[in-house]
Amino acid sequence: SIGVLVLDQATKRLAEAEHAVHVAAADGCLEQASCEEKEGRWAEAARSYQRAALGKPTARVHERAAACLLEARGDLKVALEHARAAVNLAPNTAAHRVTLARVYLAANMRQSAIAELERAQALAPQDDTISGWLKRIRRNQI
């Protein structure tokens, strides 16, 4: 039992050290991701945002990871995890809900996409982009 306790403490210290490394690297990853995104290097930007999220798991970082994965036609399951994390962290941000809706659309989850866009529209009723998305989806134009 003493050996298990020592192992648990070592595992905890290792996890803390890994977290510290991720936190220290986060700002550099964000800077790199931003440059890659501006250059249209979507897969690289997605990877950089994902690395940044390990040390700085903010709603914006998760949302950008999801959006870049979408642009790169990357793993939709991973994009969905990031988009959901963004919405969970900032539920009243319409843009994050739009990104989640876009991931749902890419995954052929139309009803979920419509529901998210309706939530986004309630948060930003003046946003014509959101109402445009809803109209096109309902007319089966997307």
Side-chain angles (χ1 to χ4, degrees):
S1 73
I2 292 176
V4 171
L5 181 61
V6 170
L7 186 58
D8 286 347
Q9 290 173 343
T11 301
K12 182 180 176 189
R13 283 195 304 274
L14 178 61
E16 289 169 352
E18 283 180 345
H19 179 69
V21 168
H22 293 308
V23 169
D27 287 335
C29 291
L30 283 175
E31 205 171 298
Q32 182 175 347
S34 179
C35 290
E36 291 163 343
E37 191 174 3
K38 285 176 187 156
E39 294 169 1
R41 295 170 43 219
W42 303 113
E44 293 92 340
R47 280 192 294 277
S48 294
Y49 279 122
Q50 287 176 280
R51 282 194 307 274
L54 295 171
K56 194 176 258 188
T58 65
R60 182 190 171 280
V61 173
H62 282 296
E63 186 277 334
R64 295 316 310 149
C68 290
L69 278 165
L70 265 179
E71 292 295 331
R73 290 181 168 61
D75 187 330
L76 289 178
K77 185 176 179 188
V78 176
L80 190 57
E81 290 170 9
H82 283 289
R84 284 180 175 154
V87 168
N88 287 336
L89 289 167
N92 295 323
T93 303
H96 298 342
R97 291 192 176 274
V98 170
T99 298
L100 179 55
R102 290 179 56 222
V103 175
Y104 282 143
L105 274 176
N108 293 315
M109 300 170 69
R110 291 174 58 81
Q111 288 310 115
S112 296
I114 290 170
E116 279 308 319
L117 287 168
E118 287 172 344
R119 289 182 193 105
Q121 190 172 47
L123 292 168
Q126 72 288 354
D127 190 328
D128 293 335
T129 304
I130 297 169
S131 56
W133 276 89
L134 278 167
K135 286 177 189 169
R136 288 195 309 275
I137 291 172
R138 289 181 176 140
R139 292 181 188 152
N140 287 324
Q141 293 174 335
I142 294 179

